[in-house]
């Protein structure tokens, strides 16, 4: 946005004194669009002011669209979490039914989670959501397996600490015994107990 202002200054924007602050992206774009036709190419400049300003405007509109989509999706998710029915979002999403609102929300979600080259469809959003759920389940299962090992790991840790004076330690062994000393009695949650068994 600062570069866009520089280009408008260089191009002789007749309303430059009214160019909005950089923090207000939408107003900057409105101003730049309104006065784009009045920009002139300075003779001594190597930069093509008009074309660079147009490309920058296109990039900034794309950025604004992405931010708007993310903000709209967050509003929908907050509303749904509060119990707002789908049909209440229909007008806001420019659709005519609750099914249309649901599908549009899924497309917005797909836009947020899709990889480059993936389409912006509700199926893509569903696939990402299913993948996230599967990854979360797998992570939870792994934590549970590791937590079941915790009593044995704690017992081994206590035995090591009891006999530490009789053990010949290199720097790594001394470091890990120090870690065990600091963490063995501070394992009050599933994740902490699981980490203790693999740390």
């Amino acid at each position: 946005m600062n570069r866009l202002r520089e280009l408008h200054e260089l191009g002789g924007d007749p309303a430059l004194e009214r160019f909005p602050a950089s923090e207000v992206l939408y107003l900057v774009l409105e101003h730049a669009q309104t006065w784009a036709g009045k920009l002139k190419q300075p003779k001594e400049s190597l930069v093509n002011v008009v074309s660079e300003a147009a490309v920058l405007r296109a990039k900034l509109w794309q950025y604004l669209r992405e931010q708007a989509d993310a903000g709209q999706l967050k509003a929908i998710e907050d509303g749904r979490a509060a119990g707002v029915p789908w049909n209440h979002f229909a007008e806001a999403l420019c659709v005519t039914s609750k099914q249309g609102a649901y599908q549009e929300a899924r497309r917005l979600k797909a836009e947020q989670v899709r990889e480059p080259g993936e389409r912006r469809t509700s199926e893509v959003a569903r696939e990402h959501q299913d993948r996230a759920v599967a990854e979360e389940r797998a992570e939870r299962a792994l934590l549970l397996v590791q937590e079941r090992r915790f009593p044995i790991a704690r017992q081994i840790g206590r035995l090591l600490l009891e006999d530490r004076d009789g053990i010949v330690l290199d720097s790594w062994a001394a470091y890990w015994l120090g870690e065990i000393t600091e963490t063995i009695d501070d394992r009050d949650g599933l994740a902490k107990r699981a980490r203790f068994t693999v740390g």
Side-chain angles (χ1 to χ4, degrees):
M1 287 188 288
N2 291 333
R3 178 60 178 158
L4 191 56
R5 182 188 176 88
E6 289 171 9
L7 290 168
H8 273 249
E9 185 174 1
L10 193 60
D13 181 341
L16 186 66
E17 72 281 355
R18 295 198 306 269
F19 200 97
S22 294
E23 296 80 31
V24 192
L25 174 56
Y26 182 77
L27 294 179
V28 167
L29 286 167
E30 285 269 296
H31 178 95
Q33 191 161 299
T34 300
W35 296 99
K38 300 289 184 183
L39 297 181
K40 298 190 177 14
Q41 179 61 34
K43 291 178 183 172
E44 69 281 358
S45 177
L46 299 175
V47 175
N48 187 325
V49 171
V50 176
S51 64
E52 187 179 340
V55 170
L56 274 176
R57 276 190 8 245
K59 285 182 181 179
L60 289 170
W61 278 116
Q62 178 61 32
Y63 173 77
L64 188 63
R65 175 184 292 115
E66 290 169 3
Q67 298 310 303
D69 283 352
Q72 191 175 41
L73 177 63
K74 179 71 171 102
I76 292 165
E77 290 174 342
D78 289 348
R80 290 294 296 155
V84 177
W86 280 113
N87 61 326
H88 287 205
F89 289 108
E91 182 183 354
L93 295 173
C94 300
V95 295
T96 58
S97 67
K98 64 181 181 181
Q99 291 84 3
Y102 174 78
Q103 289 302 324
E104 183 59 25
R106 299 295 289 175
R107 280 191 287 279
L108 287 169
K109 183 70 172 179
E111 186 62 37
Q112 301 304 307
V113 300
R114 73 186 177 100
E115 301 293 331
E118 284 184 320
R119 294 172 47 225
R120 184 186 185 218
T121 64
S122 56
E123 290 79 20
V124 168
R126 193 173 306 109
E127 287 169 13
H128 280 272
Q129 186 175 8
D130 292 347
R131 195 175 315 137
V133 168
E135 287 170 3
E136 190 178 318
R137 283 184 185 149
E139 185 177 337
R140 174 111 177 127
L142 181 61
L143 285 176
L144 290 171
V145 167
Q146 291 168 343
E147 189 205 23
R148 283 197 290 274
R149 298 178 185 149
F150 176 70
I152 296 168
R154 182 173 47 192
Q155 183 180 3
I156 292 169
R158 290 199 190 286
L159 288 171
L160 284 170
L161 292 175
E162 287 172 13
D163 295 331
R164 96 187 286 171
D165 293 337
I167 302 173
V168 177
L169 302 174
D170 63 11
S171 59
W172 276 111
Y175 168 80
W176 283 113
L177 280 175
E179 288 291 304
I180 291 171
T181 303
E182 291 178 17
T183 60
I184 199 166
D185 293 319
D186 183 28
R187 306 290 92 190
D188 55 358
L190 171 63
K192 286 184 178 181
R193 290 191 295 271
R195 275 197 302 274
F196 186 83
T197 67
V198 294

